[in-house]
Amino acid sequence: MIFAVLIPLIIACFIPLLSKLKEKIHTGIFVLFVPLSIFLYFVQFLGRDFNPIRHTYNWIPSLGINFDFYLDGLSLLFALLISGIGALVVLYSIFYLSKQERLGSFYVYLLMFMTAMLGVVLSDNIFVLYTFWELTSISSFLLIGYWHFKERSRYGALKSMLITIFGGLSMFGGFILLWVVTGTTSIQEMINQVDVILDSSYLPLILGFILLGAFTKSAQFPFHIWLPDAMEAPTPVSAYLHSATMVKAGLFLIARFSSIFSGSEWFFIVVSLVGIITLCWGSYMAVRQTDLKAILAFSTISQLGMIMAMLGFGTTAAVFAAIFHILNHATFKGSLFMVAGIIDHETGTRDIRKLGGLITFLPITATLALFGTFSMAAVPLPFLNGFYSKELFFDATLHLDSTTFLAQAIPYLAVFGSIFTFVYSMYFFFGVFTGPKQLDKLPKKPHEAPIGMLLSPIVLVAGVILIGLFPNIVNAPFLLHAAQAVNPEVEFHKVAFWHGFNTPLKMSLIVIAIGIILFVTRKKWSKVYTILPGKLSLNKVYDQIVEKLDVISGAITRSYMTGSLKNYMSIILATTLIVSFVFMFITNGFTLEYDYLADVTILEVSVVIIMIIAAVATIFTNHNIAAILVLGVVGYGVAILFVVYRAPDIALTQFVIETVTVALFLLCFYHLPKLRKSTDSAGTKMTNLFISVGFGALMTMVAISAHSSNWFESISDYFVETSYKLGGGHNIVNVILVDMRGLDTLFEIAVLGIAALAIIGLIKLKKDKGAQ
Amino acid sequence: MEIITSILAGILFATAIYNLLQKQLLRIVIGTALLSHGAHIFILTMGKLKTGQPPILTDGVSDYTDPLPQALILTSIVISFGVTSLLLVLAYRTTKENNTDNMEQLRGKSNE
């Protein structure tokens, strides 16, 4: 199974090479085999009464992060959608994208998305799922921005990424909390621990974070604003990512976790409410759009809201209807997007105000659109799959487990939203294909699309009709397993066209009756949009937030990135100081041990006192020679201490080096400006004093603590014992330097050599006058 | 005695940092030199002070001063010599090129 997930990514590595041949063979032809073979792989599981299959491949076992692929009914449904629609979309794109486009990048992004999306639906490990989840956001970003020379594309790409990644991160927070509470990274094992999660005090946070992730990804109100702007992507991408697969990742997540969260009453309230608001708002706004793809975008938002609401209901009927509608929506909406792409391709515009009467020019496309829109509008005909799931939806709204006010309002809201669904569906079809012809407004003379471009929507519309005629062929082998994976209590029940003259049918008829009236009179009531939304615009809120974030973060950065190295130093040191002291205080790290201390002698103390005086004097002296002399005093003092403490080698070295350094200082001081009195303000002086004294105190405390605590055996004895045996030398320090740590010393010499070269360069080289 | 040397190391660090936070390039070089002195004293204190003979193998002696800090310090002295001299020359060249040794004026371009 890992192969099925990763094969798109592997093939993507070869696409740049294959795209070199694009003049001869369209790159899409190579790509087509990838989703096709994945589809065939997953088809073999269809219809079998299978137990969930699990494959594990280790990745980071110590953290419990592994590729745990888990195939049950729900993931099978999505895997088939991803690979099946994927194959059709690639086929369509071969005719949609001309060979002048950057085909290589397009198919690399698309294949990357395919891997990511398959990974999302097949991963049982929450952290792997999260990784794939973000990868879908990134590939979506790249695909929306595919025509990156267009300003709107870049805006849409950024918007979609900011919103979905914001949700993704919050979902990640929810996952971490789930992991903390349950101690496992596997979703299936979490489902076994439902009680632990429901009793946890973190439950509101977990629920909130994960729902936020799902709502942003599935474009639920008020996060839906990214989806209309994502329509700047090439149409195959819109059909694939932004209608059939990626935007359903949120639904998938809710479905996956619903057997955990449905125990919480907030789950019903929040998910149903957000879903039903999205349904109404999306369909209401769709009627107002003029761009064909924008109509479809708002329509997708509304349909996603409807499925979301059904998942929120959580009843067996609702879950089954939700799963059914996920499949149906993919068929009719996918075909409609491709129809919109064909119209755009053949007429040069997607503006519905310029279109009209195209049925005579594009008869096949018109037929496809007819089936697509009527199925979307849920017209009660026995060969339209949209009607079945819509009726199951109405049925589900009438049989809720809850008796709250919300539960009683839901059927009315459902009808309200569906009326507008009917209106925009009719608007889409009749606005484009009937009415007066306006050929002079079209950039191109319209004609029917090539057969290759029609092939994919034909397959999808065939799916619409086939499911419409025989709904039960997908029911038992396919949908039932998927629904049972969400709610194990779902039982087989036959989907039928005629249930008698019952309430759901009446609701459908009301929708159609009012829908027709509203459609015919739509010019008269369109003023309502100036009241709601009127000037209220969520897009403006988003733009404001992004702009403010930009300004504020710029201001914050500028406040400390002043260009003054001294300020940087102060910030770094002060932070180190605070963190170290706090940590020392928390861990009780300071220890003081008197047992092993060496005796105090007058000689040592007097040397130390002289050194301290000299060190402090470096601050106060304002004379070059005086400064070098007191610095020399410190250096020689160190050397004397080395002598006292039985370190003859380093004492000698220190004497030599100190002498050379003093000579060097004297040389340079001759050329450097005189030391001046500090002109800092009293406040700056105090800050400097505070930082330096604090740092000194910290080092003293660290030294004392390190000396006093005996946590580890010293490794020094090893050198004493083996110095002669291994190194053949009596001077242990020398043996360590040239033998035991010979490479270290070699590099040290290299460092000195480089420093010497740099010094020569700095002194000798003159600035090249000609160069800038 | 270790406590006294620890305090010495602390004071060396404090004066070093104070010098580093000044504006004049020369003070910064002096601060770096002091910093390495402080570090040497610090490392020296880590081994036990004065516990035996100098670490040169001699017949009949089994108690030696810890050789490891000494080896580390020896390396460090040489490196800090390299650093100090490089800094000195760098300060010299910077002053020559820019006609100032004031760090507040050596900021690069604004909005860079």
Side-chain angles (χ1 to χ4, degrees):
Chain A
M1 211 186 306
I2 191 169
F3 200 59
V5 173
L6 291 184
I7 198 166
L9 209 57
I10 296 166
I11 299 293
C13 300
F14 297 100
I15 292 299
L17 284 176
L18 292 174
S19 68
K20 293 264 192 298
L21 305 169
K22 70 179 178 186
E23 290 306 326
K24 288 189 194 129
I25 309 169
H26 197 285
T27 318
I29 294 170
F30 300 110
V31 178
L32 186 57
F33 292 104
V34 177
L36 213 55
S37 49
I38 299 174
F39 185 75
L40 291 176
Y41 171 78
F42 283 112
V43 160
Q44 61 164 323
F45 296 101
L46 255 189
R48 277 196 232 163
D49 207 11
F50 67 94
N51 287 321
I53 302 164
R54 174 188 284 276
H55 292 286
T56 295
Y57 307 90
N58 280 353
W59 183 14
I60 317 174
S62 55
L63 295 175
I65 298 175
N66 296 310
F67 289 108
D68 293 327
F69 291 117
Y70 181 84
L71 184 72
D72 62 353
L74 186 66
S75 27
L76 181 63
L77 168 72
F78 274 91
L80 283 172
L81 275 182
I82 294 160
S83 51
I85 307 273
L88 294 174
V89 161
V90 171
L91 175 66
Y92 180 80
S93 71
I94 293 172
F95 297 92
Y96 185 84
L97 289 174
S98 72
K99 288 175 180 173
Q100 280 82 48
E101 302 276 2
R102 294 171 302 121
L103 293 178
S105 324
F106 180 80
Y107 287 111
V108 167
Y109 303 155
L110 201 70
L111 288 170
M112 189 165 106
F113 169 76
M114 222 176 272
T115 286
M117 195 64 212
L118 284 169
V120 167
V121 299
L122 289 169
S123 295
D124 184 44
N125 189 299
I126 45 173
F127 294 118
V128 176
L129 191 153
Y130 168 74
T131 311
F132 283 122
W133 179 281
E134 294 294 41
L135 195 58
T136 62
S137 295
I138 292 167
S139 41
S140 159
F141 167 80
L142 292 169
L143 283 167
I144 298 170
Y146 177 63
W147 285 316
H148 52 72
F149 45 85
K150 288 200 279 185
E151 203 270 329
R152 293 296 305 169
S153 291
R154 297 198 299 270
Y155 174 79
L158 188 65
K159 193 176 190 177
S160 84
M161 188 162 84
L162 284 179
I163 294 179
T164 54
I165 294 228
F166 158 74
L169 279 175
S170 111
M171 182 185 87
F172 187 48
F175 281 174
I176 290 175
L177 285 175
L178 265 182
W179 175 60
V180 169
V181 169
T182 60
T184 172
T185 52
S186 156
I187 297 172
Q188 294 306 317
E189 280 171 39
M190 285 174 185
I191 290 174
N192 295 333
Q193 298 190 40
V194 171
D195 297 332
V196 180
I197 298 170
L198 289 181
D199 290 341
S200 157
S201 56
Y202 289 124
L203 181 66
L205 278 179
I206 296 175
L207 194 60
F209 281 155
I210 292 184
L211 289 185
L212 205 56
F215 290 162
T216 49
K217 197 78 166 178
S218 280
Q220 298 296 295
F221 187 89
F223 305 109
H224 65 277
I225 49 171
W226 68 266
L227 194 57
D229 284 305
M231 292 300 133
E232 293 300 326
T235 301
V237 173
S238 310
Y240 190 31
L241 272 71
H242 305 125
S243 138
T245 54
M246 190 185 87
V247 288
K248 295 205 172 102
L251 302 175
F252 172 81
L253 192 76
I254 300 269
R256 243 310 163 243
F257 281 93
S258 73
S259 46
I260 296 176
F261 294 136
S262 54
S264 158
E265 60 182 292
W266 281 103
F267 178 77
F268 165 74
I269 295 172
V270 175
V271 178
S272 314
L273 189 66
V274 169
I276 211 93
I277 290 176
T278 311
L279 163 65
C280 295
W281 186 252
S283 58
Y284 173 72
M285 290 297 284
V287 181
R288 172 199 196 194
Q289 306 303 317
T290 52
D291 180 355
L292 287 184
K293 279 176 82 177
I295 300 176
L296 293 178
F298 276 101
S299 148
T300 304
I301 291 168
S302 138
Q303 303 274 333
L304 291 170
M306 172 175 149
I307 303 172
M308 189 64 88
M310 285 193 273
L311 290 172
F313 298 164
T315 56
T316 55
V319 166
F320 180 79
I323 297 290
F324 195 15
H325 200 68
I326 286 176
L327 176 66
N328 292 343
H329 178 249
T331 55
F332 65 69
K333 189 56 65 64
S335 68
L336 283 178
F337 264 110
M338 290 174 183
V339 163
I342 289 173
I343 294 165
D344 188 13
H345 207 260
E346 303 307 330
T347 66
T349 181
R350 295 197 310 251
D351 191 333
I352 199 163
R353 287 166 300 188
K354 295 181 188 164
L355 297 164
L358 290 180
I359 194 161
T360 49
F361 297 97
L362 300 102
I364 305 174
T365 312
T367 318
L368 295 172
L370 181 73
F371 283 108
T373 48
F374 277 55
S375 178
M376 181 156 77
V379 176
L381 291 170
F383 49 84
L384 295 175
N385 59 359
F387 171 67
Y388 291 90
S389 40
K390 188 50 113 8
E391 205 180 38
L392 288 171
F393 168 61
F394 285 146
D395 191 38
T397 60
L398 296 169
H399 299 96
L400 296 176
D401 282 343
S402 169
T403 51
T404 52
F405 173 72
L406 175 66
Q408 292 177 4
I410 279 174
Y412 299 99
L413 291 169
V415 169
F416 176 81
S418 302
I419 289 171
F420 285 97
T421 306
F422 184 86
V423 175
Y424 72 68
S425 301
M426 296 304 118
Y427 174 51
F428 184 96
F429 179 76
F430 291 107
V432 174
F433 293 105
T434 63
K437 292 172 194 152
Q438 312 179 58
L439 293 184
D440 50 321
K441 288 189 186 167
L442 298 178
K444 281 192 202 170
K445 190 177 171 343
H447 55 82
E448 188 57 271
I451 179 68
M453 215 165 173
L454 290 167
L455 216 53
S456 296
I458 286 174
V459 172
L460 286 171
V461 167
V464 168
I465 298 170
L466 209 62
I467 298 172
L469 287 174
F470 313 106
N472 292 306
I473 56 167
V474 289
N475 185 344
F478 189 30
L479 299 176
L480 186 65
H481 290 305
Q484 280 172 341
V486 181
N487 184 341
E489 288 161 20
V490 176
E491 285 171 1
F492 177 76
H493 79 157
K494 216 165 162 17
V495 181
F497 177 68
W498 182 251
H499 290 282
F501 194 66
N502 55 6
T503 323
L505 186 61
K506 282 177 204 159
M507 287 162 88
S508 288
L509 293 178
I510 292 170
V511 166
I512 291 169
I514 301 180
I516 289 173
I517 296 169
L518 285 182
F519 172 65
V520 174
T521 60
R522 69 182 185 282
K523 294 237 163 54
K524 301 212 168 74
W525 55 269
S526 62
K527 283 204 182 80
V528 73
Y529 288 104
T530 56
I531 303 165
L532 186 76
K535 283 182 180 163
L536 286 173
S537 163
L538 286 164
N539 281 317
K540 274 185 199 143
V541 175
Y542 163 84
D543 290 340
Q544 281 291 316
I545 290 175
V546 170
E547 197 191 314
K548 286 273 150 41
L549 276 178
D550 209 24
V551 170
I552 293 170
S553 54
I556 292 175
T557 307
R558 268 191 294 280
S559 73
Y560 64 85
M561 296 300 285
T562 51
S564 158
L565 293 179
K566 181 178 148 322
N567 284 357
Y568 298 164
M569 276 286 286
S570 306
I571 293 169
I572 294 168
L573 288 171
T575 313
T576 316
L577 205 58
I578 291 166
V579 170
S580 309
F581 268 120
V582 168
F583 198 71
M584 201 181 244
F585 183 75
I586 291 172
T587 57
N588 216 352
F590 184 72
T591 45
L592 183 54
E593 190 83 45
Y594 295 100
D595 292 353
Y596 304 101
L597 296 184
D599 298 329
V600 179
T601 66
I602 296 171
L603 171 66
E604 293 158 43
V605 173
S606 34
V607 172
V608 167
I609 290 171
I610 292 170
M611 284 172 70
I612 291 174
I613 294 170
V616 175
T618 57
I619 296 170
F620 293 103
T621 177
N622 290 321
H623 192 275
N624 284 10
I625 304 292
I628 173 68
L629 288 182
V630 284
L631 189 62
V633 169
V634 178
Y636 288 117
V638 174
I640 293 171
L641 283 183
F642 288 157
V643 173
V644 174
Y645 295 129
R646 318 274 199 273
D649 296 294
I650 51 175
L652 276 175
T653 319
Q654 177 69 22
F655 273 121
V656 173
I657 296 268
E658 196 55 39
T659 313
V660 177
T661 312
V662 169
L664 196 66
F665 262 93
L666 285 172
L667 266 176
C668 281
F669 275 21
Y670 177 73
H671 294 284
L672 283 171
K674 292 247 162 16
L675 284 175
R676 292 180 299 271
K677 243 185 134 112
S678 169
T679 52
D680 287 334
S681 66
T684 319
K685 274 184 183 160
M686 279 311 290
T687 318
N688 290 351
L689 193 69
F690 180 75
I691 293 176
S692 46
V693 170
F695 205 82
L698 176 72
M699 290 316 284
T700 302
M701 286 166 77
V702 170
I704 291 174
S705 310
H707 188 262
S708 299
S709 44
N710 283 308
W711 287 356
F712 308 104
E713 275 297 308
S714 166
I715 56 167
S716 302
D717 292 338
Y718 170 83
F719 296 110
V720 177
E721 280 162 24
T722 56
S723 168
Y724 188 71
K725 268 187 272 173
L726 295 178
H730 290 282
N731 187 330
I732 306 172
V733 175
N734 284 3
V735 170
I736 293 176
L737 283 176
V738 300
D739 215 315
M740 313 267 189
R741 308 207 51 80
L743 267 181
D744 243 14
T745 311
L746 182 70
F747 287 125
E748 180 196 332
I749 295 168
V751 168
L752 268 194
I754 293 168
L757 285 176
I759 288 171
I760 293 175
L762 282 169
I763 295 175
K764 291 257 176 184
L765 292 184
K766 294 277 176 280
K767 207 182 199 172
D768 188 351
K769 290 270 187 323
Q772 195 60 40
Chain B
M1 196 62 218
E2 276 86 351
I3 294 173
I4 296 176
T5 49
S6 299
I7 292 169
L8 173 64
I11 289 174
L12 286 176
F13 270 106
T15 49
I17 301 278
Y18 193 87
N19 273 310
L20 280 181
L21 291 175
Q22 300 301 307
K23 286 177 194 159
Q24 244 184 316
L25 273 175
L26 251 178
R27 297 242 186 240
I28 293 172
V29 183
I30 292 174
T32 328
L34 282 173
L35 198 66
S36 40
H37 290 322
H40 298 157
I41 300 289
F42 185 95
I43 301 174
L44 190 71
T45 314
M46 289 299 103
K48 306 251 179 297
L49 296 173
K50 267 212 275 192
T51 48
Q53 295 297 310
I56 297 166
L57 292 174
T58 322
D59 287 337
V61 178
S62 61
D63 191 16
Y64 297 103
T65 308
D66 198 340
L68 195 57
Q70 297 192 14
L72 294 178
I73 293 170
L74 198 58
T75 309
S76 170
I77 290 175
V78 178
I79 293 284
S80 57
F81 168 65
V83 171
T84 310
S85 34
L86 181 66
L87 268 181
L88 260 179
V89 180
L90 195 63
Y92 156 75
R93 186 73 197 236
T94 310
T95 315
K96 277 262 158 122
E97 293 291 333
N98 297 296
N99 294 323
T100 176
D101 66 339
N102 187 341
M103 284 304 288
E104 292 298 299
Q105 289 167 6
L106 295 167
R107 284 198 189 199
K109 292 176 189 125
S110 60
N111 292 326
E112 200 171 40

